[in-house]
Amino acid sequence: MSEVVLSGRRLEHSYGVETVLKGVNLDIAAGEVVALMGPSGSGKSTLLHVLAGLLRPSSGEVWLRGTRVDTLGEHARARVRLRDLGFVFQFGDMVPELTVVENVELPLRLLGTSRAKARRRATDLLGLLGIAELEDRRLHEVSGGQAQRAAVARALVHEPAVVLADEPTGALDTVAGEQVLEALVGASKETGAAVLLVTHEMSVAAWAERDVQMRDGALRTPAALG
């Protein structure tokens, strides 16, 4: 069995008197693609934020690459996120003032990688994702699907342990969404990154190797996808 790279143990979280996570346990192995499914209000986003170290759980533990994240200070958690996690959001969250390639190389530059090395890595990844010709364009000059593929490249450029993808195709049409998912899953296999796909769409979950169902703050038993 592959090494577990991201683990949530006995996670609980409350907002005031409302409990939104109820004893959640979730392990994600290296290179695995997992779909986290559930309706709005089920706790998916809260769980994602807790696993990412963006939110401290009320109780429980989060482990990432052997480091317990939930007990770290804010600066240390931010450093762990930058080094070991990649993110793909519904609307990309790219920097509009930068070109596509500058957006993609940004995590490496923040980690102290030289400009030349970061540029080579970003260019190579854009080529892998089929959008090398767009590297010098700005975001208003590319389509939504192309921008999301660039967001996938940015999420993977620093070779993170896990990519957290929150409704990554929610703002795209069916064809563009399929292209982004193909790029995300294919590139993650090339780099060895695990992927947690947060979605309420079965068509998106079908790209995962297994799915976990979330209802009312708790996880159901994982079911293998055919």
Side-chain angles (χ1 to χ4, degrees):
M1 181 177 178
S2 298
E3 172 195 7
V4 172
V5 291
L6 179 60
S7 180
R9 313 307 302 163
R10 305 176 303 281
L11 293 174
E12 307 249 349
H13 195 71
S14 299
Y15 295 108
V17 298
E18 182 184 5
T19 301
V20 292
L21 295 182
K22 303 173 182 177
V24 172
N25 293 297
L26 179 62
D27 290 336
I28 299 174
E32 184 180 28
V33 181
V34 179
L36 175 62
M37 302 188 68
S40 296
S42 61
K44 300 191 308 297
S45 293
T46 298
L47 178 57
L48 181 75
H49 291 162
V50 167
L51 292 173
L54 293 165
L55 184 66
R56 287 185 189 271
S58 301
S59 64
E61 303 175 1
V62 177
W63 293 83
L64 176 60
R65 268 186 175 169
T67 297
R68 185 170 173 184
V69 177
D70 60 286
T71 57
L72 298 176
E74 184 175 345
H75 178 76
R77 293 201 314 275
R79 187 70 181 175
V80 168
R81 280 196 302 275
L82 179 59
R83 184 188 67 216
D84 292 332
L85 295 177
F87 296 88
V88 183
F89 299 104
Q90 182 172 344
F91 297 103
D93 286 350
M94 306 283 272
V95 182
E97 294 81 10
L98 301 180
T99 65
V100 167
V101 73
E102 288 169 343
N103 267 286
V104 173
E105 70 187 10
L106 188 58
L108 286 175
R109 298 292 292 139
L110 292 172
L111 286 167
T113 304
S114 70
R115 183 178 299 277
K117 185 175 181 179
R119 180 59 55 92
R120 286 195 300 271
R121 171 65 178 158
T123 298
D124 288 347
L125 204 46
L126 287 170
L128 178 65
L129 295 174
I131 51 172
E133 73 280 4
L134 305 178
E135 67 173 45
D136 293 324
R137 297 188 188 180
R138 299 192 185 274
L139 295 183
H140 69 274
E141 299 175 308
V142 302
S143 70
Q146 290 168 335
Q148 278 298 76
R149 275 191 276 172
V152 169
R154 183 189 59 182
L156 290 164
V157 71
H158 55 302
E159 299 183 347
V162 185
V163 172
L164 302 175
D166 192 1
E167 300 286 0
T169 63
L172 304 176
D173 61 39
T174 301
V175 173
E178 289 283 312
Q179 291 172 341
V180 167
L181 288 167
E182 182 177 14
L184 173 58
V185 173
S188 72
K189 295 303 182 186
E190 290 281 340
T191 63
V195 178
L196 180 62
L197 275 173
V198 178
T199 184
H200 63 275
E201 297 283 351
M202 282 300 302
S203 59
V204 175
W207 287 85
E209 295 159 1
R210 67 179 171 101
D211 73 311
V212 289
Q213 302 283 338
M214 195 159 200
R215 294 290 186 277
D216 300 322
L219 291 185
R220 293 182 175 180
T221 304
L225 290 176

